[in-house]
Amino acid sequence: MLRLISYGLLALLAYLPMAQANQITTSKTVILVRHAEKADKGRDPMLSHEGKLRAKALVEALAGTPLSLAIATQFRRTQETLTPLMAAKEIPLVVIDAGKEMDKHIAAIADKVMAQDGNVIIAGHSNTVPLIIKALGGPELPQLGESEYDKLFILSMPQEGATSLIKTQYGATSINTP
């Protein structure tokens, strides 16, 4: 048994210089969510009770995912959606102001993601999440519905090759409300 482990270790050690010479390509994963349910319809509402539960569910959904950075807008609902995850993963938050020019906002987020080493989580809005995905090389998607809070998008961005997108859900399924 010890001999088998030794052979495996030797094979790994022999492979490492070749891998470094060939510069192993790594990928970056970007997780995107819309902010969780908001408490009211004001300009900058906090999360509702359901939204706070969804923010905690995000921690569970991404428990095994290494992350290096969280990105949100200046609005409380995006930051509160990421707060439990940031605490659990001990990652910093970068706030990128949504401003009045959507194109500049999306470009600033894409630039930050591209400059970051490691995986990134982004909490956006119903109208920005699809635009961010497209700006990062993903497919064009329709705007999220006003009651869609449970969507989780996983964008895999290899150094070489095509970007791929997985759409899934986390937390309780959104309730369609008028």
Side-chain angles (χ1 to χ4, degrees):
M1 180 69 165
L2 185 55
R3 184 178 292 171
L4 184 59
I5 293 171
S6 296
Y7 288 141
L9 185 56
L10 285 173
L12 177 62
L13 291 174
Y15 172 75
L16 287 177
M18 283 191 313
Q20 289 173 342
N22 292 332
Q23 296 180 349
I24 297 175
T25 59
T26 58
S27 65
K28 178 184 301 197
T29 301
V30 180
I31 311 290
L32 299 103
V33 296
R34 178 188 181 198
H35 62 78
E37 291 87 342
K38 51 191 174 183
D40 58 37
K41 298 198 183 269
R43 170 98 173 114
D44 192 14
M46 299 178 358
L47 293 184
S48 66
H49 174 71
E50 293 79 13
K52 290 175 184 174
L53 292 175
R54 184 169 309 283
K56 290 178 183 173
L58 188 58
V59 175
E60 293 173 25
L62 299 177
T65 305
L67 295 167
S68 61
L69 183 70
I71 299 174
T73 66
Q74 74 273 23
F75 297 107
R76 286 191 291 188
R77 57 194 178 269
T78 60
Q79 294 176 34
E80 289 178 3
T81 299
L82 297 178
T83 296
L85 183 65
M86 292 181 324
K89 300 280 186 178
E90 298 180 349
I91 57 172
L93 173 68
V94 170
V95 175
I96 299 180
D97 195 302
K100 295 185 189 248
E101 296 183 47
M102 182 75 72
D103 292 345
K104 287 184 180 180
H105 172 66
I106 301 302
I109 291 173
D111 289 346
K112 187 65 180 174
V113 168
M114 298 310 288
Q116 180 67 32
D117 289 331
N119 302 328
V120 178
I121 176 87
I122 301 169
H125 301 272
S126 60
N127 61 335
T128 62
V129 169
L131 296 174
I132 296 166
I133 290 169
K134 185 175 181 193
L136 293 171
E140 189 166 336
L141 298 173
Q143 183 171 313
L144 297 173
E146 198 52 41
S147 63
E148 289 184 276
Y149 296 99
D150 62 342
K151 303 295 183 261
L152 184 123
F153 300 91
I154 305 166
L155 194 64
S156 179
M157 303 169 55
Q159 285 185 352
E160 296 178 16
T163 296
S164 63
L165 178 70
I166 296 172
K167 291 180 5 179
T168 188
Q169 296 176 300
Y170 76 103
T173 303
S174 293
I175 299 170
N176 293 326
T177 55

